[in-house]
Amino acid sequence: MSELWVERHRPRSVSEMKGQRAVVDRLSAYSESKTFPHLMFAGPPGTGKTTAALALTRDVFGDGFRNNLLEMNASDERKLESIRTKVKQFARTAPMPGTSFKVIFLDEADALTSDAQGALRRIMEQFAETCRFILSCNYSSKIVEAIQSRCAVFRFRPLDSEKVLEKVMEVANSEGVELEETAARAIADVSLGDLRKAITSLQVAASLDSHVTRDLVYETTATAPPEELHGFFLACKEDGFQPARRRMREILDRFGLAGTDLVNQLHRELGKVTFLDEPQKLKVTEAMAECDFRMVEGGGESLQLDAMAARICSMLGN
Amino acid sequence: MEQGKEDDDWAERYRPSTLSDMEGNGDKIRRVRIWLEGWESGKTPKKRGLLLSGPPGVGKTTLAHAIAKEKGWSIVELNASEQRNAAAIRSSATRGSQYVSLENFSRGSESTGKTVILLDEVDHLSGGFSQVSEERIHTTMGSEEGPVLKGDSGGKAELLNLLNKTENPVIMTCNDPMKLWGRGNWRRNRDRVNRVAENIIFERVGATDLRRIALRVLDSEGVGIDPEALDALIRRNPGDLRALVKDLQSLSVTANGHVDIASVSELSGSVLRDSQINVFESLKRAYNSDSGLLASEAILNSDKDPDEILAWFSWNNQSVISSRGLEEISGAMCNSDSYLAAKFTNRAFRSWYWGSSLPTQAIAAVADTKNDGGVFISFPEFLRRGGETWRNIDLIERLAGSMGTSKSSFREDLWPALLAIHDKSLGASESDFTVAKKIGMTGEDHLAILGIPKTSKVGKSILEEFAQVGEKFEIEEAVSEDKMEQSEDETQSTLDSFG
């Protein structure tokens, strides 16, 4: 159990990837032809950008692919100077014997300053023959148009919960975990299309008990199940401040939530609540946002949460 | 950067190598030829530089190389991937030419044996136009280790210097000339460059040219395409030739010899570039959805960050939502802006969440107060560079500099007074330039304070009048400009906060 399941079950070839069909089809064509142009992967976290980059380079170069790959992520230096030195140095040296090009994988490229991106674009062209770039980013609007124009762009979308479900079941099977159907659904819901989060959640739950139930999933992922959150809103509307506050405390304690997690999860659930109309939801959202903001600014958690509950009660109460 | 025909990358393989091979922008190419004739006569023309500005992928760098190839000139390239401080620019100019020490050599040689100095992406030269001392340039050029000049110091000033003195053609490319002019005193900087360089502005490539090139490329690769597939491909291309060729290559990989409409629409689902994403569609869907949940889903895939989304919403709310609705949600919009700002005070990026969820919930809450006549989304004017807001910022900054106060105190104390002095309803006259001349404003600045568009009839006549009123304040103005020069360096990057 020492190894992270996320790493152990990371697809090693493009063809093993789940979801992102349009992306995967095209990438498989690249791995067959053993060559690819500059690529840019854009999309939210956990949708397979890093996996795709590593799998593609492995498909092209075989198991020794790391010798031909320079990986840089946001923890490395992103300044103009490091692009001019480190990246350029790597780009201009010859590829490994037997291969025709090498690969630079710039993770979180949206963190590059615009001057650094300016330096990058010409390197991308000058050394295109011997060095291909794979850029990954969360917000593609942070990448200057000139770089996007030099890349084949691929957009990664959050995975369907069905695909997440499928992969989670598969991992559970191969790790010998007894995973209840409802628990698997809960994992898919909690992960919001982030496969990395889903598999980690599974591993954490399974480390406590190899029989994974829905309750165990919610307790180990620090997530409150929808019905509890729903119950809080109902209490605000029907029962008044004290009962609502009691419910809130109970959720916090039982699922081990931080205040800001609770606010976030409450808001995600708010959209599905049917007994409130849109103007009411706006008021509730405002109360939540303010509470969250004050906690970010350093406000005391229990005081701010109580204030939020009180505000919501007085807005919704009869 | 000539490369062989067997190049992997189609964009390189089909890069035109001579002037006559270039497609699109026909009149621009003619202007380039006229500029070239200036050099051919053997003399050094008045405008020694050629500044090619325009969006990516329209062939600026290609044109530079094509010119050199056609004339048989050699080429020295200095691009943003290298340091470009004053010393680096000067030594590359020397390397290619007779700029400093080889002057005599040049006189003796044939005038046709020129060396083009190509400075790519000059808008990415960081810093302002302030000069660094000759001594520091020489020290840096002389020493192997530990240069005195770091980064791009003095790069822009040396660029001007080069343009004024060079015996060789200098070609510069940039995407956004506004960035080259810098922020402080951009009109003056623009004029300084335009006096010595021919500025040719390229436009995005038109659909007809895109189509012809696409067909030619596909033809020589032996790949067929359905007419409607080609239409779809060109419709979503923003006039970027390189992107078009990249797309074609990426399509052909799975096409099996023939590209059909299905593969193009599949491509557009997963491989859109930013300029091709339709924010307008997402926003329209958001405004038309009847719950906050649906509205936030609608903008989920717009790939704009929350700052930008908020800007889009607050701009478009004004036209979509009635005044009663605006009143109801103004609190929420305002708060979401404050929460977004929390990321600057304490790096709390999770407050981004509220930056988009508040406005989407807000528009859903007042969906019933939408104005009649449907939802028409427009581009937020204040995200456009060169809009009125930006001009005022420029003005405020400059005036604050020349008066020696901070920007914020100028904005809070002096700016309102300045507006009041020029307010017609308070008895001011449009053609009273006393204050404007005294504090060194230009005619355009004066108009900006009055809120009159400079292209309007009134605006034009005021500008004329302004120009005629005495030159007696010139000296003071010049002093204020020099002060600005020094503070430009620090303010360079903030312009791009929305980029």
Side-chain angles (χ1 to χ4, degrees), chain A residues 21-23 25-26 29-30 33 35-38 40 42-43 80-81 83-84 88 100-101 114-123 125-129 132 138-158 260-261 263-264 267-268 270-272 277-283 285-286 288-293 295-298, chain B residues 1 3 7-9 12 15 55-57 61 65 77 79-84 120-121 123-124 126 151-152 175 179 204 238 240 242-243 246 249-251 253-254 263 266-267 269-275 277 290-293 300-301 303-306 308 328-329 331-332 335 338-339 342 345-346 348 350-354 357-358 361-362 364-365 496-499:
Chain A
R21 206 187 60 80
V23 172
D25 280 357
R26 221 153 278 285
Y30 289 143
S33 60
T35 179
F36 53 86
H38 298 310
M40 180 174 125
L80 181 54
E81 287 314 311
I83 293 292
R84 280 180 180 163
K88 205 173 172 182
S100 57
F101 63 94
S114 88
D115 283 337
Q117 293 188 26
L120 191 56
R121 44 196 268 198
R122 199 71 187 118
I123 301 179
E125 240 169 26
Q126 272 181 323
F127 302 104
E129 210 159 337
R132 304 293 148 75
N138 292 147
Y139 290 112
S140 57
S141 58
K142 294 272 174 238
I143 306 284
V144 299
E145 200 190 335
I147 288 191
Q148 294 193 30
S149 146
R150 287 167 169 76
C151 295
V153 181
F154 291 83
R155 293 201 180 270
F156 288 67
R157 294 294 172 220
T260 172
D261 293 338
V263 176
N264 200 281
H267 183 258
R268 289 189 195 281
L270 180 68
K272 295 175 212 141
D277 60 21
E278 293 301 317
Q280 280 176 319
K281 284 182 184 175
L282 175 59
K283 295 270 173 262
T285 308
E286 283 188 73
M288 289 174 167
E290 190 176 346
C291 171
D292 194 31
F293 175 65
M295 286 191 290
V296 166
E297 295 276 275
Chain B
M1 214 191 38
Q3 288 181 351
D7 206 300
D8 260 357
D9 185 349
E12 290 300 333
R15 200 189 263 273
T61 310
H65 283 279
E77 191 177 333
N79 60 57
S81 72
E82 288 142 301
Q83 283 204 344
R84 295 195 292 186
D120 239 349
E121 296 138 30
D123 46 345
H124 280 277
S126 45
D152 292 344
N175 293 136
K179 236 187 125 179
R204 296 193 178 271
D240 180 340
R242 177 174 40 217
K246 293 257 179 206
Q249 182 172 19
S250 142
L251 277 169
V253 170
T254 48
S263 54
E266 192 188 63
L267 185 80
S270 59
V271 294
L272 282 180
R273 285 180 190 81
D274 252 28
S275 46
I277 288 188
D290 48 10
S291 79
L293 189 66
L300 196 66
N301 285 342
D303 283 276
K304 296 271 175 240
D305 64 31
E308 234 172 310
E328 267 171 53
I329 61 170
N335 282 339
S338 333
Y339 303 153
T345 54
N346 57 15
R350 93 189 125 93
S351 47
W352 273 21
Y353 181 74
W354 303 108
S357 61
L358 268 175
Q361 184 62 54
D496 273 345
S497 56
F498 273 117

Side-chain angles (χ1 to χ4, degrees), chain A residues 32-220:
Chain A
E32 267 164 44
S33 60
K34 301 283 175 209
T35 179
F36 53 86
H38 298 310
L39 305 174
M40 180 174 125
F41 295 165
T47 48
K49 300 187 294 298
T50 307
T51 303
L54 295 180
L56 179 61
T57 28
R58 185 194 296 269
D59 284 350
V60 172
F61 299 119
D63 280 336
F65 71 105
R66 287 201 181 270
N67 296 329
N68 247 354
L69 176 72
L70 174 70
E71 244 185 295
M72 284 179 85
N73 55 43
S75 58
D76 298 311
E77 269 205 293
R78 292 348 256 309
K79 290 195 315 252
L80 181 54
E81 287 314 311
S82 53
I83 293 292
R84 280 180 180 163
T85 54
K86 198 170 166 188
V87 171
K88 205 173 172 182
Q89 286 294 330
F90 184 83
R92 60 152 63 110
T93 51
M96 293 290 288
T99 57
S100 57
F101 63 94
K102 52 210 300 180
V103 177
I104 296 183
F105 176 46
L106 281 174
D107 211 354
E108 293 154 61
D110 35 4
L112 288 173
T113 62
S114 88
D115 283 337
Q117 293 188 26
L120 191 56
R121 44 196 268 198
R122 199 71 187 118
I123 301 179
M124 289 176 77
E125 240 169 26
Q126 272 181 323
F127 302 104
E129 210 159 337
T130 51
C131 182
R132 304 293 148 75
F133 282 80
I134 304 179
L135 311 178
S136 97
C137 63
N138 292 147
Y139 290 112
S140 57
S141 58
K142 294 272 174 238
I143 306 284
V144 299
E145 200 190 335
I147 288 191
Q148 294 193 30
S149 146
R150 287 167 169 76
C151 295
V153 181
F154 291 83
R155 293 201 180 270
F156 288 67
R157 294 294 172 220
L159 291 175
D160 292 350
S161 52
E162 288 310 309
K163 292 275 183 271
V164 177
L165 201 66
E166 207 177 296
K167 181 75 188 180
V168 165
M169 302 279 236
E170 203 179 288
V171 173
N173 256 339
S174 81
E175 297 288 344
V177 177
E178 202 180 327
L179 181 67
E180 286 185 7
E181 163 92 37
T182 51
R185 289 228 166 266
I187 289 180
D189 284 345
V190 166
S191 63
L192 300 168
D194 180 341
L195 198 53
R196 177 165 40 215
K197 196 170 166 189
I199 295 176
T200 314
S201 306
L202 176 67
Q203 185 174 15
V204 172
S207 68
L208 292 179
D209 189 344
S210 65
H211 178 85
V212 177
T213 63
R214 182 171 186 267
D215 281 352
L216 186 61
V217 168
Y218 280 115
E219 277 164 37
T220 51

